[in-house]
Amino acid sequence: MSDEATAPAAFVDLQVHTTASDGALPPAAVVQAAADAALHAIAITDHDTVDGLPEAHAAGERLGVRIVPGVELSTHFEGEELHLLGLHLTDLHAMADALADFRVQRVQRAERIVETLNAHGIPITMDAVLAEAADGAVGRPHIARAMLAGGWVREFREAFDKWIGWGRPAYMAKEQFDVADAMALVHRAGGLAVWAHPGELATPARIARLADRGLDAVEVLHPSHPPYLVQRLVEHTEKAGLLPSGGSDWHGTQDGPRKLGGQLVPKVWLDWQDARVATRGTTTA
């Protein structure tokens, strides 16, 4: 029997977050956790930033974990918010330049949320939010952590459920970014465009329309997807000629359903993505 036949199954995790955006652990610690979990590769997909990738790559080389360069973008399609992953990025400078404006918009959105919370009697400050974000791209999780630290909520999730989640008093929508423009940006940076955690919205018709606009893959494995939906998404994705992807959407917490490597994404899915990039002859611009 060959060594290959007796080798343990290899798994990857193609959606992971760090303190470069709203994760709880710095990139090197995330890569260490991936090595401890015996993962072959992880994709660093911070929100609206690629700043964590150099540290992650250095740690990956040291620990023997492949780092897939990525990003997560909030976009809109047909009146719905759609989260898009850019995986296998090769031109990080092009992506970073394009994302600079998004980071300014994130701060402005956080300022509006803080002002609304103040108007509702919660004396949180923007300085406290920025302290939680450190050098990362500011997001609602940083506001939630500042609220928790200040004693205005009893637990992290309460901040979303009561104050800053969709439909709550201090919710503020992001600036709309058309999904076609986002996919074009990902392609210019050398990457594959992946529909992140689509849930029940990923009907065959909607997948086909997105494929016509440049979608490359669908994240079929995600903690929010029950088994019946995973099977359905695999079938829809294959029928559309797209690739499957999957990830834990891990933000560094030790509790809850999002566990690093918990989705058991097979390495062969990463191999298929690599082949698509090579076959397409992706170029940077």
Side-chain angles (χ1 to χ4, degrees), residues 21-86:
S21 63
D22 59 350
L25 298 175
V30 169
V31 179
Q32 180 64 64
D36 294 342
L39 289 172
H40 172 79
I42 59 171
I44 301 295
T45 56
D46 284 311
H47 297 275
D48 298 340
T49 182
V50 292
D51 288 353
L53 286 169
E55 180 182 330
H57 276 298
E61 290 181 359
R62 185 175 71 253
L63 297 169
V65 177
R66 177 183 169 185
I67 305 302
V68 178
V71 69
E72 183 170 6
L73 305 173
S74 296
T75 78
H76 279 78
F77 176 63
E78 297 181 345
E80 301 278 356
E81 185 174 52
L82 185 152
H83 284 209
L84 189 78
L85 300 179

Side-chain angles (χ1 to χ4, degrees), residues 41-283:
I42 59 171
I44 301 295
T45 56
D46 284 311
H47 297 275
D48 298 340
T49 182
V50 292
D51 288 353
L53 286 169
E55 180 182 330
H57 276 298
E61 290 181 359
R62 185 175 71 253
L63 297 169
V65 177
R66 177 183 169 185
I67 305 302
V68 178
V71 69
E72 183 170 6
L73 305 173
S74 296
T75 78
H76 279 78
F77 176 63
E78 297 181 345
E80 301 278 356
E81 185 174 52
L82 185 152
H83 284 209
L84 189 78
L85 300 179
L87 299 183
H88 305 273
L89 304 176
T90 57
D91 191 342
L92 298 185
H93 292 296
M95 180 59 72
D97 288 345
L99 294 177
D101 287 343
F102 294 168
R103 295 184 65 148
V104 172
Q105 292 172 10
R106 279 181 165 270
V107 172
Q108 293 171 341
R109 179 196 188 205
E111 288 172 343
R112 295 196 303 273
I113 293 174
V114 166
E115 289 172 0
T116 303
L117 290 170
N118 292 167
H120 282 82
I122 299 177
I124 187 175
T125 66
M126 194 61 197
D127 285 343
V129 174
L130 293 176
E132 292 291 341
D135 294 326
V138 179
R140 284 182 299 164
H142 301 123
I143 297 173
R145 290 172 193 160
M147 293 176 73
L148 182 61
W152 297 298
V153 292
R154 291 167 296 181
E155 58 183 11
F156 178 82
R157 191 68 239 171
E158 183 184 348
F160 285 86
D161 294 342
K162 189 174 180 180
W163 293 106
I164 62 176
W166 186 87
R168 299 307 173 188
Y171 175 77
M172 297 287 168
K174 295 177 183 176
E175 296 288 333
Q176 293 198 4
F177 183 26
D178 185 79
V179 69
D181 293 335
M183 289 191 287
L185 171 60
V186 168
H187 292 156
R188 288 197 303 273
L192 297 180
V194 183
W195 189 357
H197 44 78
E200 299 282 359
L201 292 176
T203 63
R206 193 171 278 120
I207 291 174
R209 291 195 295 274
L210 284 165
D212 288 342
R213 288 164 171 79
L215 189 68
D216 299 295
V218 176
E219 187 178 54
V220 300
L221 279 175
H222 184 270
S224 66
H225 293 170
Y228 80 86
L229 182 57
V230 171
Q231 183 58 41
R232 184 187 302 170
L233 291 175
V234 168
E235 294 169 358
H236 295 344
T237 298
E238 183 177 352
K239 184 177 180 180
L242 303 181
L243 297 174
S245 192
S248 65
D249 204 356
W250 192 57
H251 285 65
T253 57
Q254 301 304 315
D255 54 1
R258 301 183 184 189
K259 305 284 189 183
L260 182 65
Q263 294 302 295
L264 299 180
V265 180
K267 176 183 173 293
V268 68
W269 288 11
L270 177 58
D271 296 337
W272 293 344
Q273 292 181 15
D274 287 335
R276 177 67 61 91
V277 171
T279 301
R280 195 175 66 185
T282 303
T283 59

